[in-house]
Amino acid sequence: MLHIVLVEPEIPQNCGNIARTCAATGSHLHLIEPLGFDISERAVRRAGLDYWHLVDVSVYENLDALFRLHPEAADNLYLTTTKAPRPYSEAVFTDGCWLFFGKETAGLPQDFREAYAARCVRLPMVSEARSLNLSNTVAVCAYEALRQMGFPGLLDHGEMAR
């Protein structure tokens, strides 16, 4: 299983898109507070997120709380940041991998990036671009990780397959 961790996400549409990616891939979505939006049942229903029931979502007060409950995450993680020295394509993703993504306006906390500097990766882009949209970044990294793992549980054939 792949674990997607959003640290203090701010934009509800990004979280909705990422939740849909998690639903489609069977990935677990972990949210680190504070959240910039409401994910109560009422709010999710009002937003029309008809796939939310397919997403395994966990919410944590902070990063320390996540690592207390999931110490194994520290042994198999990657942090995405525009400041990373190497591209995501050089990472070796394995089953049970944890992918961390920072909030839209500031990214991941500096002390967290420094603690796991060897595990920081980025998506290549032109120097003039500040960053990619968070939900796009999650999708690219998630599908690369799943590709490396052989797309576990995802190789159903499309209706055009013969």
Side-chain angles (χ1 to χ4, degrees):
M1 172 179 286
L2 187 61
H3 297 272
I4 303 297
V5 183
L6 304 183
V7 179
E8 301 179 8
E10 300 166 315
I11 301 174
Q13 294 86 348
N14 282 338
C15 188
N17 290 339
I18 293 163
R20 189 176 198 104
T21 297
C22 289
T25 61
S27 300
H28 189 131
L29 178 60
H30 302 267
L31 302 174
I32 308 299
E33 294 178 326
L35 307 180
F37 45 84
D38 181 7
I39 60 166
S40 68
E41 184 179 335
R42 181 174 178 260
V44 168
R45 190 174 45 252
R46 188 176 54 232
L49 301 177
D50 60 346
Y51 49 84
W52 194 258
H53 68 285
L54 298 174
V55 185
D56 190 4
V57 182
S58 299
V59 180
Y60 308 86
E61 181 180 348
N62 52 43
L63 279 169
D64 289 339
L66 180 139
F67 284 108
R68 270 194 308 277
L69 286 170
H70 299 286
E72 72 279 7
D75 298 326
N76 190 8
L77 58 72
Y78 283 96
L79 285 60
T80 59
T81 173
T82 58
K83 298 155 185 60
R86 66 183 178 137
Y88 75 100
S89 56
E90 292 181 10
V92 178
F93 300 107
T94 58
D95 188 35
C97 186
W98 296 70
L99 303 179
F100 287 78
F101 302 87
K103 63 181 167 182
E104 292 89 342
T105 58
L108 291 167
Q110 183 174 348
D111 60 335
F112 184 50
R113 291 191 324 261
E114 289 172 354
Y116 294 98
R119 305 294 282 187
C120 288
V121 296
R122 64 178 164 72
L123 271 68
M125 64 187 93
V126 298
S127 60
E128 296 81 16
R130 182 174 51 86
S131 64
L132 287 170
N133 175 275
L134 179 61
S135 62
N136 292 338
T137 301
V138 171
V140 168
C141 291
Y143 270 93
E144 173 59 16
L146 293 165
R147 183 194 67 79
Q148 288 185 23
M149 291 183 249
F151 294 111
L154 303 180
L155 290 179
D156 285 342
H157 297 2
E159 63 184 57
M160 293 177 62
R162 296 196 184 259

